[in-house]
Amino acid sequence: GNPVTIGLTRSEYQSQYNFSFVDPYWTVDGVSLGYNALYRATNYDKLNYDVSSYAVDSAGAGVTMGYPISEESRLTFGLSAQSDKIKPGSYPAVEIQNFLNQEGRSFTNFKTTAGWNKSTLNRGLLPTAGASQSLFLEVTVPGSDLKFYRLDYQGQYFKSLWGDHALRFHTQLGYAESYGSTSKLPFYEHYYAGGFDSVRGFRDGAMGPRSTYHVDDPDQDFLHFGGNVLVQGGVEWIFPMPFVKDQRSIRSYAFWD
């Protein structure tokens, strides 16, 4: 089948729309072709309180192609164009204000991406054996207002123990940096850690560097500012849920992140 995603979100202060389509067998050899588009806008005038962080209004579109190199491995390539407009809140963090003063508030960037992934997992949903890993590179090309790149790696490995018990080791690594005429990595491209899919027990994005609050901010609120390096991982002990016969759609585990 052809996966299609349509997202429509509308509230008093925010509108967000996204669309994606992938033809996994664009050719009979398994070359895939996909399209995506997005639009996001925030209206601060509709908010009845001071906003101390920032919002990014974005519009963009892209195309991706995938090429199988074996039964287990695949290469992907992509091109995209995106326009971003930064809207600082009432009391923007010092680091945000410094970046906007130096680089401006509106940017149009053209990105090229390349990726590799390999999977020997025994199934796509809640696997219990095998391994998977992926490597992804994103670079803004000449003609972009901002110049930066990102390199990301994700991996997981399952080790069978006894019966239906297994260990899952997983990690996510990321490094991003500016280059050329761009002095710093854009703050809205930072990595964040914390949350259910990261380090559980922390709020989403609550780990890592914090910003310097605005001198006029009456609440002196800092912002979880993220960073240009991400190193996270953990191990899970997977064990059967008692009294449940079909374990394929439910998982119980103890974890350390």
Side-chain angles (χ1 to χ4, degrees):
N2 298 328
V4 178
T5 300
I6 300 175
L8 306 172
T9 303
R10 182 69 184 269
S11 69
E12 187 177 11
Y13 65 92
Q14 188 174 65
S15 300
Q16 183 168 317
Y17 314 108
N18 63 278
F19 169 82
S20 68
F21 171 84
V22 178
D23 183 351
Y25 282 90
W26 186 55
T27 71
V28 295
D29 298 323
V31 175
S32 63
L33 180 65
Y35 309 92
N36 64 83
L38 68 91
Y39 172 81
R40 178 179 61 239
T42 303
N43 186 358
Y44 274 151
D45 295 335
K46 295 294 184 179
L47 295 175
N48 57 5
Y49 57 88
D50 290 331
V51 179
S52 59
S53 55
Y54 66 93
V56 183
D57 290 353
S58 301
V63 59
T64 58
M65 293 188 69
Y67 184 81
I69 55 178
S70 73
E71 289 290 333
E72 302 170 345
S73 302
R74 191 174 188 86
L75 296 176
T76 57
F77 304 94
L79 292 171
S80 65
Q82 183 167 318
S83 177
D84 297 318
K85 181 178 180 182
I86 311 301
K87 302 171 75 172
S90 302
Y91 306 106
V94 172
E95 291 82 358
I96 293 177
Q97 192 61 59
N98 290 342
F99 181 88
L100 298 180
N101 291 341
Q102 190 163 7
E103 303 291 349
R105 298 191 178 190
S106 298
F107 316 102
T108 299
N109 296 316
F110 305 95
K111 299 177 182 178
T112 180
T113 60
W116 166 82
N117 64 79
K118 179 178 181 180
S119 175
T120 59
L121 299 175
N122 61 337
R123 58 176 181 256
L125 180 65
L126 300 181
T128 56
S132 69
Q133 52 184 334
S134 63
L135 189 64
F136 182 79
L137 174 65
E138 178 184 74
V139 183
T140 57
V141 299
S144 302
D145 292 330
L146 298 174
K147 297 178 176 60
F148 61 91
Y149 62 90
R150 304 169 62 96
L151 183 63
D152 297 286
Y153 172 83
Q154 282 188 303
Q156 61 176 336
Y157 169 72
F158 291 85
K159 172 65 175 178
S160 178
L161 296 177
W162 66 90
D164 293 328
H165 295 252
L167 290 178
R168 173 181 178 253
F169 302 90
H170 63 92
T171 187
Q172 182 177 357
L173 309 173
Y175 180 79
E177 192 56 89
S178 62
Y179 71 94
S181 59
T182 302
S183 59
K184 290 184 177 181
L185 178 70
F187 58 89
Y188 60 93
E189 295 284 349
H190 281 181
Y191 294 104
Y192 294 86
F196 182 79
D197 293 324
S198 177
V199 182
R200 287 157 286 197
F202 291 84
R203 295 190 304 274
D204 289 346
M207 302 184 70
R210 299 176 177 181
S211 66
T212 307
Y213 57 81
H214 193 282
V215 64
D216 295 326
D217 186 353
D219 298 324
Q220 297 186 351
D221 288 334
F222 63 82
L223 173 69
H224 295 291
F225 199 59
N228 72 314
V229 176
L230 175 67
V231 179
Q232 65 183 36
V235 60
E236 297 173 355
W237 168 35
I238 304 170
F239 53 89
M241 175 73 74
F243 312 113
V244 177
K245 293 183 178 180
D246 188 356
Q247 300 284 330
R248 292 174 298 176
S249 60
I250 190 171
R251 168 164 290 175
S252 51
Y253 54 86
F255 65 86
W256 175 82
D257 291 338

